[in-house]
Amino acid sequence: MTTDVFAVLADPHRRKVLELVAARERTAGELAAEFDVSRPAVSRHLRVLKEAGLVTCRQDAQRRIYRLDPGPLTEVTGWIERMSGYWAGRLSALEAHLDANPEAPR
Amino acid sequence: MTTDVFAVLADPHRRKVLELVAARERTAGELAAEFDVSRPAVSRHLRVLKEAGLVTCRQDAQRRIYRLDPGPLTEVTGWIERMSGYWAGRLSALEAHLDANPEAPR
DNA sequence: CAGTTACGTAAGCTTGCGGTTACATATGCG
DNA sequence: CGCATATGTAACCGCAAGCTTACGTAACTG
């Protein structure tokens, strides 16, 4: 089971599914109609998204209605923020260095 | 050439490279030493990262020194923010509906 | 210049992922 | 109950992605 959110987001079809369910919940059929690939393929993507916790699914008669759960996305934003944090720290170190060695003043 | 930032971030090795260069720039050899895979494998990851614009590379004698460029990450954060925006809109629509039909008041 | 260091590239192999077709399951309907 | 609708599962296939080994290429070093 692929539980890595980054890997799940790597597929454009899955990202489009998320965009679609972000606005309003949709049935599997409605979602499948938006893609050029076969319905089983979409069904697999939905399973992957569900396993990753990015969508939830409730049943209404024969239909399965999918809804976005943006929770796991915090793993991504958190990682990027940490990166940017380190990056900012590195930059300020560079600035300190440039301040101490002003050979190319702005 | 894979220019899709999401796909580039899908690989854990590449994410670790980014984490490593986020703190301070590193040579290809330093980076390779941090992984259990062969050096050519790391070299390929570096190429992918470079093509995606996530790292830059300058040469110092025989060494290649890699540095983070967080710029392309905005594509990811932007996408997630848009998602969250739609999500929030959907939520407020739900809230409006609940306000208009208060059959389960809080 | 010959040897070493530090990398990247090429070629080939393997595996995993996404796709399709065919089938199973479950619910509503007459 | 029998049929249609809606959807997931199974089995199989092809290809792209990542890994490895072997080799090519600069640049420093004595």
Side-chain angles (χ1 to χ4, degrees), chain A residues 9-10 15, chain B residues 2 4-11 14:
Chain A
L9 293 184
R15 290 203 298 275
Chain B
T2 301
D4 178 1
V5 186
F6 289 91
V8 171
L9 294 183
D11 188 282
R14 287 197 284 263

Side-chain angles (χ1 to χ4, degrees), chain B residues 61-95:
Chain B
Q62 316 112 352
R63 308 203 209 98
R64 309 292 178 89
I65 303 178
Y66 287 87
R67 155 189 297 223
L68 176 70
D69 182 351
L73 294 178
T74 60
E75 186 181 338
V76 177
T77 56
W79 181 81
I80 292 182
E81 278 170 20
R82 257 185 302 143
M83 295 277 301
S84 302
Y86 293 145
W87 177 245
R90 197 203 140 284
L91 275 190
S92 49
L94 174 63
E95 284 159 10

Side-chain angles (χ1 to χ4, degrees), chain A residues 80-96:
Chain A
I80 292 182
E81 279 169 21
R82 259 185 301 145
M83 295 277 302
S84 302
Y86 293 146
W87 177 246
R90 198 204 138 283
L91 273 190
S92 49
L94 174 64
E95 283 160 9

